[in-house]
Amino acid sequence: MNEPVAVMNDQGLAEICRLLERNDMLISPDAIWLSSRPGFYGHLLVLDAIAVSRQRALDILCPDCGTESMRPQPYSAPASQPYRGHCPECGWVELTNEQAHYWQVQPAKLAKWLSVGLGWCRAMPSKRL
């Protein structure tokens, strides 16, 4: 494994552990896009360690100006993104699923990885006392 990927995996494990300690295990879409590390979260998304949740964010910062708050709303105009929000400064802004929804840790996927990695998937012999 090359060093940049190993570093990203180490940081990913730290972030996943932090999120598992939260009751909701959710990441605000703003935390993804404004963190200056969207590639890092994209890496975790590709690994299926996190996923875009079904829960829409209540409000987010405008992705265009980054200063005004908006509420993602479903938008069904042809050839558009599935959501939009109204920014007082920028007007209507189209939003992707990833921008409009919380992201969340996938604990079942992580548990499966750990069980495979630790060899717990094989049938364990029962001990008789």
Side-chain angles (χ1 to χ4, degrees), residues 13 25 33-34 37 55 58 61 76 78-79 83 101 105 109-110 114-115:
L13 182 58
M25 293 185 271
W33 309 116
L34 300 176
R37 301 186 322 160
Q55 186 176 348
L58 298 176
L61 289 176
S76 59
Y83 293 92
H101 288 219
V105 171
K109 180 71 131 181
L110 298 171
L114 284 172
S115 68

Short mmCIF file of all heavy atoms in Angstrom, two decimals, residues 13 25 33-34 37 55 58 61 76 78-79 83 101 105 109-110 114-115:
data_model
loop_
_atom_site.label_atom_id
_atom_site.label_comp_id
_atom_site.label_asym_id
_atom_site.label_seq_id
_atom_site.Cartn_x
_atom_site.Cartn_y
_atom_site.Cartn_z
N LEU A 13 -9.82 5.91 9.81
CA LEU A 13 -10.15 5.13 10.99
C LEU A 13 -10.39 6.04 12.19
O LEU A 13 -11.34 5.83 12.96
CB LEU A 13 -9.04 4.12 11.30
CG LEU A 13 -9.29 3.19 12.48
CD1 LEU A 13 -10.58 2.39 12.29
CD2 LEU A 13 -8.11 2.26 12.68
N MET A 25 -24.27 9.24 14.59
CA MET A 25 -23.25 8.83 13.64
C MET A 25 -23.35 9.58 12.31
O MET A 25 -22.98 9.08 11.26
CB MET A 25 -23.28 7.32 13.39
CG MET A 25 -22.91 6.49 14.59
SD MET A 25 -22.83 4.74 14.22
CE MET A 25 -24.51 4.25 14.53
N TRP A 33 -17.85 19.38 2.72
CA TRP A 33 -17.44 20.31 1.67
C TRP A 33 -16.58 21.46 2.18
O TRP A 33 -15.75 21.97 1.44
CB TRP A 33 -18.66 20.87 0.94
CG TRP A 33 -19.55 19.76 0.50
CD1 TRP A 33 -20.83 19.52 0.91
CD2 TRP A 33 -19.22 18.69 -0.40
NE1 TRP A 33 -21.31 18.36 0.32
CE2 TRP A 33 -20.34 17.83 -0.48
CE3 TRP A 33 -18.09 18.37 -1.13
CZ2 TRP A 33 -20.36 16.70 -1.28
CZ3 TRP A 33 -18.11 17.23 -1.92
CH2 TRP A 33 -19.24 16.42 -1.99
N LEU A 34 -16.76 21.84 3.44
CA LEU A 34 -16.00 22.98 3.96
C LEU A 34 -14.76 22.56 4.74
O LEU A 34 -14.03 23.40 5.24
CB LEU A 34 -16.91 23.85 4.85
CG LEU A 34 -18.11 24.43 4.13
CD1 LEU A 34 -19.00 25.19 5.10
CD2 LEU A 34 -17.69 25.33 2.98
N ARG A 37 -11.19 18.84 2.89
CA ARG A 37 -10.81 17.45 2.67
C ARG A 37 -11.93 16.64 2.03
O ARG A 37 -12.19 15.51 2.43
CB ARG A 37 -10.41 16.80 4.00
CG ARG A 37 -9.28 17.47 4.69
CD ARG A 37 -8.79 16.76 5.91
NE ARG A 37 -9.83 16.16 6.72
CZ ARG A 37 -9.58 15.19 7.59
NH1 ARG A 37 -8.38 14.73 7.77
NH2 ARG A 37 -10.56 14.67 8.31
N GLN A 55 -31.47 10.93 5.36
CA GLN A 55 -31.93 12.07 6.14
C GLN A 55 -31.40 13.38 5.54
O GLN A 55 -30.20 13.61 5.49
CB GLN A 55 -31.47 11.94 7.59
CG GLN A 55 -32.00 13.00 8.50
CD GLN A 55 -31.60 12.76 9.94
OE1 GLN A 55 -31.11 11.70 10.30
NE2 GLN A 55 -31.80 13.75 10.77
N LEU A 58 -31.16 19.84 7.69
CA LEU A 58 -32.14 20.89 7.94
C LEU A 58 -31.73 22.20 7.28
O LEU A 58 -32.56 22.91 6.74
CB LEU A 58 -32.33 21.09 9.44
CG LEU A 58 -32.86 19.87 10.19
CD1 LEU A 58 -32.92 20.14 11.68
CD2 LEU A 58 -34.24 19.49 9.65
N LEU A 61 -24.79 25.54 4.52
CA LEU A 61 -24.25 26.77 3.97
C LEU A 61 -24.31 26.70 2.45
O LEU A 61 -24.14 25.62 1.86
CB LEU A 61 -22.81 26.96 4.41
CG LEU A 61 -22.61 27.32 5.88
CD1 LEU A 61 -21.13 27.38 6.22
CD2 LEU A 61 -23.29 28.64 6.22
N SER A 76 -37.69 19.08 -8.83
CA SER A 76 -37.89 18.09 -9.89
C SER A 76 -37.90 18.69 -11.28
O SER A 76 -38.52 18.15 -12.18
CB SER A 76 -39.19 17.32 -9.64
OG SER A 76 -40.28 18.24 -9.62
N PRO A 78 -36.68 19.33 -14.98
CA PRO A 78 -35.91 18.48 -15.90
C PRO A 78 -34.47 18.96 -16.01
O PRO A 78 -34.20 20.15 -15.98
CB PRO A 78 -36.64 18.63 -17.23
CG PRO A 78 -37.96 19.22 -16.91
CD PRO A 78 -37.82 19.96 -15.61
N ALA A 79 -33.56 18.02 -16.12
CA ALA A 79 -32.12 18.29 -16.32
C ALA A 79 -31.53 19.14 -15.19
O ALA A 79 -30.68 19.99 -15.42
CB ALA A 79 -31.89 18.97 -17.66
N TYR A 83 -32.12 18.56 -5.72
CA TYR A 83 -32.46 19.50 -4.64
C TYR A 83 -32.01 20.89 -5.04
O TYR A 83 -31.18 21.08 -5.93
CB TYR A 83 -31.77 19.10 -3.33
CG TYR A 83 -32.30 17.81 -2.78
CD1 TYR A 83 -31.70 16.60 -3.11
CD2 TYR A 83 -33.42 17.78 -1.97
CE1 TYR A 83 -32.20 15.40 -2.64
CE2 TYR A 83 -33.93 16.59 -1.49
CZ TYR A 83 -33.31 15.41 -1.83
OH TYR A 83 -33.81 14.22 -1.36
N HIS A 101 -27.92 16.02 1.88
CA HIS A 101 -28.17 14.99 2.90
C HIS A 101 -26.98 14.85 3.84
O HIS A 101 -25.84 15.11 3.47
CB HIS A 101 -28.40 13.63 2.23
CG HIS A 101 -29.71 13.54 1.53
ND1 HIS A 101 -30.48 12.42 1.56
CD2 HIS A 101 -30.41 14.43 0.79
CE1 HIS A 101 -31.58 12.61 0.86
NE2 HIS A 101 -31.55 13.83 0.39
N VAL A 105 -21.85 6.96 9.09
CA VAL A 105 -20.97 5.80 9.19
C VAL A 105 -21.79 4.54 8.92
O VAL A 105 -22.99 4.50 9.22
CB VAL A 105 -20.34 5.73 10.60
CG1 VAL A 105 -19.59 4.43 10.81
CG2 VAL A 105 -19.42 6.91 10.82
N LYS A 109 -21.08 -2.56 8.02
CA LYS A 109 -19.98 -2.81 7.10
C LYS A 109 -18.66 -2.88 7.87
O LYS A 109 -17.83 -3.77 7.63
CB LYS A 109 -19.92 -1.69 6.06
CG LYS A 109 -18.83 -1.83 5.06
CD LYS A 109 -19.09 -2.96 4.11
CE LYS A 109 -18.91 -2.50 2.71
NZ LYS A 109 -19.16 -3.52 1.73
N LEU A 110 -18.46 -1.98 8.81
CA LEU A 110 -17.24 -1.97 9.61
C LEU A 110 -17.13 -3.23 10.47
O LEU A 110 -16.05 -3.82 10.60
CB LEU A 110 -17.18 -0.73 10.49
CG LEU A 110 -17.16 0.60 9.73
CD1 LEU A 110 -17.33 1.76 10.68
CD2 LEU A 110 -15.89 0.74 8.92
N LEU A 114 -14.13 -6.03 10.36
CA LEU A 114 -13.38 -6.44 11.55
C LEU A 114 -13.48 -7.94 11.78
O LEU A 114 -12.49 -8.59 12.11
CB LEU A 114 -13.89 -5.70 12.79
CG LEU A 114 -13.45 -4.25 12.91
CD1 LEU A 114 -14.16 -3.58 14.08
CD2 LEU A 114 -11.94 -4.16 13.09
N SER A 115 -14.66 -8.49 11.60
CA SER A 115 -14.81 -9.93 11.83
C SER A 115 -14.00 -10.74 10.82
O SER A 115 -13.40 -11.74 11.17
CB SER A 115 -16.28 -10.34 11.83
OG SER A 115 -16.83 -10.22 10.55
#
